[in-house]
Amino acid sequence: MSYSTADSLRPVTLDDVRGAQKMLTGVARVTAMEGSRHLTQLVGSPVHFKCENLQRTGSFKLRGAYVRIAGLLPEERAAGVVAASAGNHAQGVALASALLGVRSTVFMPKGAPLPKISATKEYGAEVRLHGHVVDETLAAAQEYAQETGAVFIHPFDHPDVIAGQGTVGLEILDQCPEVRTIVVGIGGGGLAAGVAVAVKALRPDVRIVGVQAAGAAAFVPSLAAGRPVSIQHPATMADGIKVGRPGDVPFAIVADLVDEVRTVTENELSTALLLCLERAKLVVEPAGASPVAALLSDPRSFEGPVVALLSGGNVDPLLLQRILRHGMSAQGRYLAVTLRLTDRPGALATLLGVLSVVDANVLDVSHVRTDPRLGLTEVEVELHLETKGPVHCAEVGQALRDAGYTVID
């Protein structure tokens, strides 16, 4: 498979995906397929995880990046490649380039997590930090390509990239031939498009459901308009699918072959990530957990067997800590409450006694005495509690009110 850079709008076929699969032999892992007992019970039929979070570089992005760079003409390889990414695509391009002996430069936002910057460097890329959002980083990378002649490797809007990502679909059909529904996260659309090309060509009866974060759901208005449209200020914890406009090439494929696109909330994403960690013992980033979030939000609407594609596991530990707390809060297992009490000796002990009776575990306590909203003898106390679910949270709140405390939030 060898295509020039100008050949960027040709259709993607099953033969392209099969050619990509041969090219990736010995490069990309055939990642595991793991069953989920918990989701199987909820859905009412078998649910499996396709674990691309265990792929080399921690996500599916290596597949498309390698196929794209391997397909460059000799003079294009000699000029080197450049990419822009906050993490997964950066690492995929860096490793693919190193394996193919091509010089790579990767632009990353200044606020990119240090582990992702370090990993990209270790894979062999020159990393340049530019801008505070991906759009600024992308513009810098494209400017660099124009100035130096380096080939810009788009994260999703190219047939070779889509063909590479489509190899995940071939593996799913091989590992779970009885599959009826495949659920996949959608950002720019490259992964969903590739999987759709492969799966629909061989099993047109398989339903493909795309999932977007509600705060970054560019495909929803795009599909309604019949063309890619941009959304302003996409916002979600799932940075892997935080894309403001679908790619032209994947959009056409998704519009034709993907059966449905759903959206999930931030609470659903964090709850899904927590489930993957606790029940499946899998570290999954928010974008990778989006198919699980969709299954949790409406489990009986999916015909099984179902395969949920966990697209990546690259999550910054500090962000993971916040997301897990968010997920525990969404499940009613973590409660933050602020209240006021009289500032006198023993007042805090009395409060803690009330919480002890209802078996709420205190994780953290903070006092505020100098806020102008407070009376001279008042203190504001913020409590972080470990709780046992929504019913227990309600019991804690009621116990505090019954004891005469004013709960602020």
Side-chain angles (χ1 to χ4, degrees):
M1 187 187 301
S2 179
Y3 300 101
S4 69
T5 302
D7 188 20
S8 60
L9 294 177
R10 58 182 171 79
V12 184
T13 67
L14 177 62
D15 286 341
D16 293 327
V17 180
R18 283 176 166 160
Q21 187 176 47
K22 292 179 181 178
M23 189 180 295
L24 288 167
T25 301
V27 175
R29 295 173 181 149
V30 176
T31 50
M33 184 83 75
E34 299 287 346
S36 171
R37 183 178 302 174
H38 179 70
L39 285 175
T40 292
Q41 291 175 343
L42 292 178
V43 173
S45 58
V47 176
H48 306 278
F49 292 151
K50 175 58 172 171
C51 300
E52 280 296 287
N53 58 310
L54 303 179
Q55 184 56 262
R56 295 178 72 179
T57 74
S59 87
F60 70 97
K61 289 288 190 177
L62 171 65
R63 297 173 183 263
Y66 188 91
V67 174
R68 173 75 175 101
I69 297 169
L72 295 178
L73 299 173
E75 58 269 25
E76 292 175 320
R77 289 199 193 193
V81 299
V82 60
S85 168
N88 288 349
H89 181 58
Q91 294 173 67
V93 168
L95 179 57
S97 299
L99 293 172
L100 291 164
V102 177
R103 184 178 70 258
S104 63
T105 302
V106 175
F107 285 77
M108 303 182 76
K110 292 180 179 178
L114 289 177
K116 293 185 178 182
I117 295 173
S118 298
T120 304
K121 290 180 178 179
E122 289 173 7
Y123 286 128
E126 177 190 348
V127 173
R128 299 192 180 192
L129 301 180
H130 186 92
H132 296 282
V133 296
V134 174
D135 286 344
E136 295 173 352
T137 308
L138 180 64
Q142 291 172 326
E143 182 179 350
Y144 177 88
Q146 293 173 354
E147 292 175 351
T148 66
V151 178
F152 179 68
I153 306 299
H154 200 284
F156 49 81
D157 203 10
H158 193 280
D160 288 350
V161 173
I162 294 170
Q165 320 305 27
T167 59
V168 181
L170 294 180
E171 290 179 17
I172 289 173
L173 294 181
D174 182 59
Q175 293 170 308
C176 186
E178 68 278 14
V179 64
R180 297 293 301 167
T181 305
I182 297 173
V183 191
V184 55
I186 299 185
L191 178 61
V195 169
V197 167
V199 171
K200 289 293 189 178
L202 296 170
R203 287 281 307 281
D205 58 303
V206 173
R207 185 171 180 81
I208 299 178
V209 178
V211 183
Q212 292 208 289
F219 262 92
V220 175
S222 296
L223 290 170
R227 57 180 176 80
V229 298
S230 298
I231 59 171
Q232 298 300 314
H233 311 300
T236 175
M237 68 175 73
D239 59 348
I241 53 175
K242 185 181 176 181
V243 178
R245 182 187 184 278
D248 293 330
V249 180
F251 174 78
I253 297 171
V254 169
D256 184 40
L257 298 179
V258 172
D259 296 283
E260 180 186 0
V261 175
R262 301 187 180 192
T263 62
V264 292
T265 66
E266 298 299 284
N267 278 352
E268 288 165 345
L269 284 168
S270 57
T271 299
L273 189 148
L274 184 61
L275 182 143
C276 289
L277 187 62
E278 287 189 324
R279 298 298 185 96
K281 315 307 176 191
L282 292 169
V283 176
V284 181
E285 63 189 84
S290 59
V292 179
L295 289 170
L296 289 173
S297 68
D298 191 7
R300 293 291 173 170
S301 66
F302 293 89
E303 180 183 1
V306 178
V307 172
L309 207 172
L310 309 183
S311 58
N314 291 319
V315 57
D316 178 58
L318 294 176
L319 176 61
L320 179 61
Q321 184 180 39
R322 295 198 298 270
I323 293 171
L324 291 178
R325 179 170 290 187
H326 190 271
M328 291 177 68
S329 179
Q331 289 189 330
R333 294 164 54 188
Y334 178 88
L335 178 64
V337 60
T338 302
L339 44 83
R340 291 177 185 173
L341 60 155
T342 303
D343 190 9
R344 59 176 175 77
L348 181 59
T350 301
L351 170 61
L352 296 179
V354 173
L355 294 171
S356 176
V357 170
V358 290
D359 201 24
N361 185 34
V362 179
L363 301 176
D364 189 30
V365 180
S366 65
H367 290 76
V368 176
R369 288 186 170 88
T370 58
D371 195 299
R373 298 172 301 167
L374 298 174
L376 187 61
T377 60
E378 284 185 319
V379 61
E380 189 171 278
V381 176
E382 183 179 354
L383 299 164
H384 295 259
L385 309 172
E386 183 181 8
T387 48
K388 302 174 183 178
V391 173
H392 189 212
C393 287
E395 291 174 353
V396 170
Q398 189 60 52
L400 291 171
R401 286 188 288 272
D402 289 346
Y405 293 104
T406 301
V407 179
I408 299 174
D409 56 34

